[in-house]
Amino acid sequence: MLTACRPLWRLLFATEGTGFHGLLFAASLFLALLGLNMLLLRLLSPGRTLRWMLGVLLVLAAGASWFADTYGVVLDSEMLRNVAQTNPAEARDFIGMPLLVRLLWQAGLPIALISQARLPLRVWTRSLREYALGALGGAALLLVAALPMYSSYATFFRNQHAARYYIAPANVIVGSVRLARKTLHRPPAFSRVGEDAQRMRPEGAKPLVLVLVVGETARAANFSLGGYARDTNPLLRQKGVYYFTDVESCGTATATSLPCMFSELPREEFKLGPARYRDSVLDILQRAGVAVSWIDNQSGCKWVCDRVPSERASAYDIESCAAGECLDEALLRVMDRKLPQAARDGLITLHAMGSHGPAYYRRVPKERRVFEPVCDTERINTCSDEKIVNTYDNTIVYTDYILAGLIDRLAADQQRVDTVLLYVSDHGESLGESGLYLHGQPWMVAPRVQKQVPMLLWFSSGAPARLGLNTDCLRAELGSKASHDNLSHTMLGLFDVTTSVYRPALDLLRDCRRP
Ligand SMILES: [Zn+2]
């Protein structure tokens, strides 16, 4: 408990100090957690399963504490959902010697000791009594230790939202139960949204193609288009893009952000559970007659593309793919093949690998590294912050290269098709600020860097006139507050879809277009 809850103790001493009160509170919390663990252990292990359950809990606690120590992440049900939805390639980035070593000393050693202990055989009345006594004893210890300092507990756990997620292994157990409850909940009937969707298209106009690039883990703070001191957007800078400087994400992890940004509901009304059984904006666009497609270079579309044609980017490219993973270069190959086929109005969604961590170095081919030295390992906690930032910034420069490459391809075909490119990242990232790494903090407590995302627009030469868009007006709007809430409605507006679920106030281009 002392070693497995290290982030909790660190947080406690950082906020409460190491004076008399801090130490007293720590002692009280230690005893309370001891009681909590006794209670949990007893409740979870009826009869003679005690030894087994203790082993399981030790492994859970060791694994959870390794994640918390290494990446500063908190283990709530959403983080466990991310773990459960991880594909083998992503998992490979995490599983390695350090985790194994941690499991060995923190769980293996105590398990070996426990297995030596002899538990005498008992008649069932006696074991029942022990079961009850153990549970009651745990509960009593918890109360006796915590009650006298109740106000300290209330202040600490109310102000430090992350603290309760650091209590291992209870965090994993509570998170798993919550996740299971959310997941096992009987699937509700599928609800269709925007069934009245339809659109008018100008007679004889060229095809209009929107290329939507869903970025991954790109944070706004490291885009030089938004003021970052390093030149991380050397190519986009020359492409005449419209960069939004204040964009907030809907979630702090792919599993929540994607369903939310493709829902027509704004974040405050959005619920992740039902979203799986509900139309996304892709369904609405498709229903209105737009040719929608999704090409994935990542861990899937989290159900938003289930009813539209979808493919893996690896089907278009072999050179930049290895071990089931492709560099985003593959997206350029996708566009080389897809764009010439575009004969009618369509939306091509490209789900990029972007800056997916912790193995940032694997997102960029060696010859495209700009900043050195880099962190050449997924164990980013072993690298200096300077190296981590260099490696991450290289992924942003690489994203700049990919987006500029896509724009070049669209520009080369602009006599034939009117095109718009819209890029937005799914969430940001922590790069060691306040000891935090990666992303996925609960939205309410997540730092700004995990929630501020880059977003930009580019138009082919004929697109603004065709859309009746005043680009000076748009340029003046770029500093206004925007968010993932705007994505669905801006897309519906771009394709002039009329539907009762369209909210003009959330369409970023609405005010700058001639009706
Ligand atoms: Zn993501």
Side-chain angles (χ1 to χ4, degrees):
M1 201 168 68
L2 282 175
T3 57
C5 303
R6 211 160 59 189
L8 177 70
W9 302 120
R10 208 180 317 145
L11 186 64
L12 186 149
F13 289 122
T15 53
E16 309 290 311
T18 49
F20 177 70
H21 174 262
L23 291 176
L24 190 67
F25 183 42
S28 156
L29 185 60
F30 176 81
L31 289 175
L33 290 183
L34 197 64
L36 175 73
N37 281 339
M38 273 171 65
L39 177 66
L40 265 179
L41 177 65
R42 248 352 317 201
L43 289 181
L44 290 172
S45 45
R48 297 184 53 78
T49 56
L50 184 68
R51 214 189 316 217
W52 288 102
M53 190 46 72
L54 190 54
V56 171
L57 291 183
L58 280 165
V59 171
L60 287 182
S65 78
W66 180 80
F67 269 98
D69 284 351
T70 310
Y71 299 115
V73 297
V74 297
L75 286 152
D76 60 356
S77 62
E78 289 315 308
M79 187 57 80
L80 290 169
R81 186 196 299 278
N82 297 337
V83 173
Q85 286 181 11
T86 293
N87 61 30
E90 287 180 343
R92 202 178 46 209
D93 293 351
F94 288 107
I95 297 166
M97 265 324 262
L99 175 58
L100 205 67
V101 170
R102 171 68 73 99
L103 286 176
L104 271 179
W105 75 261
Q106 216 170 48
L109 196 68
I111 289 174
L113 290 175
I114 299 160
S115 67
Q116 294 303 309
R118 282 178 178 279
L119 289 181
L121 275 170
R122 298 246 195 261
V123 288
W124 71 271
T125 41
R126 197 99 185 251
S127 12
L128 192 68
R129 210 179 66 193
E130 283 194 352
Y131 182 78
L133 277 179
L136 281 177
L141 180 58
L142 174 63
L143 289 177
V144 168
L147 274 184
M149 296 195 77
Y150 173 76
S151 65
S152 302
Y153 279 79
T155 336
F156 179 66
F157 284 99
R158 197 174 303 148
N159 291 332
Q160 308 301 323
H161 295 267
R164 61 199 160 103
Y165 299 110
Y166 287 143
I167 299 175
N171 53 1
V172 183
I173 295 169
V174 173
S176 305
V177 171
R178 281 203 181 142
L179 182 61
R181 222 174 38 203
K182 283 188 208 169
T183 316
L184 295 178
H185 198 258
R186 208 156 54 89
F190 191 88
S191 37
R192 311 237 299 174
V193 179
E195 285 192 285
D196 56 347
Q198 47 179 314
R199 61 186 294 256
M200 294 275 285
R201 91 178 285 284
E203 203 70 37
K206 297 177 197 171
L208 171 68
V209 173
L210 168 62
V211 175
L212 170 66
V213 184
V214 180
E216 172 60 48
T217 316
R219 63 185 218 178
N222 291 48
F223 262 57
S224 58
L225 285 170
Y228 186 46
R230 268 181 165 174
D231 188 10
T232 47
N233 302 123
L235 300 172
L236 284 174
R237 192 154 43 83
Q238 304 162 32
K239 299 289 181 200
V241 298
Y242 298 83
Y243 183 82
F244 294 84
T245 52
D246 187 2
V247 184
E248 191 172 66
S249 71
C250 182
T252 61
T254 317
T256 28
S257 274
L258 276 194
C260 184
M261 62 204 277
F262 283 92
S263 163
E264 94 294 354
L265 296 173
R267 189 183 66 80
E268 305 227 314
E269 297 168 36
F270 173 81
K271 287 194 179 68
L272 184 58
R276 188 175 167 181
Y277 310 101
R278 210 168 171 281
D279 277 337
S280 72
V281 70
L282 302 182
D283 296 295
I284 304 174
L285 288 168
Q286 183 167 260
R287 190 170 301 138
V290 179
V292 179
S293 61
W294 181 286
I295 296 99
D296 206 284
N297 192 33
Q298 231 223 80
S299 58
C301 71
K302 316 294 175 197
W303 301 292
V304 302
C305 70
D306 277 5
R307 292 156 300 277
V308 305
S310 58
E311 301 166 276
R312 298 283 314 171
S314 51
Y316 288 78
D317 190 328
I318 31 170
E319 271 169 40
S320 65
C321 305
E325 243 178 45
C326 305
L327 292 165
D328 277 336
E329 183 86 33
L331 300 178
L332 299 179
R333 303 288 91 76
V334 169
M335 201 44 65
D336 287 337
R337 297 253 298 273
K338 280 271 190 197
L339 192 59
Q341 296 168 8
R344 63 187 188 100
D345 293 358
L347 163 66
I348 303 174
T349 313
L350 304 174
H351 189 198
M353 187 52 116
S355 309
H356 199 293
Y360 306 121
Y361 74 103
R362 287 226 313 264
R363 309 292 160 240
V364 183
K366 277 209 172 71
E367 68 275 11
R368 293 215 160 263
R369 285 179 179 174
V370 177
F371 305 110
E372 302 264 4
V374 297
C375 177
D376 250 334
T377 167
E378 49 279 349
R379 299 197 307 280
I380 51 175
N381 57 316
T382 62
C383 295
S384 67
D385 281 353
E386 183 211 351
K387 279 187 180 178
I388 294 172
V389 172
N390 282 343
T391 320
Y392 181 82
D393 282 347
N394 285 336
T395 68
I396 302 293
V397 177
Y398 188 61
T399 295
D400 178 81
Y401 157 74
I402 299 297
L403 294 177
L406 291 171
I407 288 173
D408 288 341
R409 283 156 178 77
L410 300 181
D413 210 10
Q414 61 190 352
Q415 297 310 317
R416 193 183 70 81
V417 268
D418 289 325
T419 47
V420 180
L421 180 132
L422 169 53
Y423 166 81
V424 61
S425 178
D426 64 344
H427 51 77
E429 184 84 326
S430 284
L431 295 174
E433 296 88 2
S434 336
L436 279 182
Y437 294 89
L438 306 178
H439 53 264
Q441 292 288 108
W443 203 89
M444 292 301 290
V445 298
R448 210 175 134 79
V449 284
Q450 292 190 16
K451 295 196 283 198
Q452 287 290 115
V453 290
M455 179 164 84
L456 60 88
L457 274 165
W458 174 89
F459 300 93
S460 68
S461 57
R466 180 218 182 102
L467 296 168
L469 178 72
N470 178 343
T471 50
D472 291 332
C473 166
L474 175 60
R475 211 165 278 291
E477 291 285 310
L478 295 175
S480 315
K481 266 200 176 314
S483 75
H484 277 165
D485 293 353
N486 299 115
L487 183 67
S488 296
H489 300 278
T490 304
M491 291 202 287
L492 290 172
L494 252 169
F495 285 107
D496 295 312
V497 174
T498 51
T499 162
S500 52
V501 297
Y502 169 64
R503 303 190 196 189
L506 290 176
D507 179 349
L508 285 171
L509 302 180
R510 188 80 215 164
D511 293 343
C512 295
R513 287 178 69 185
R514 255 194 338 265

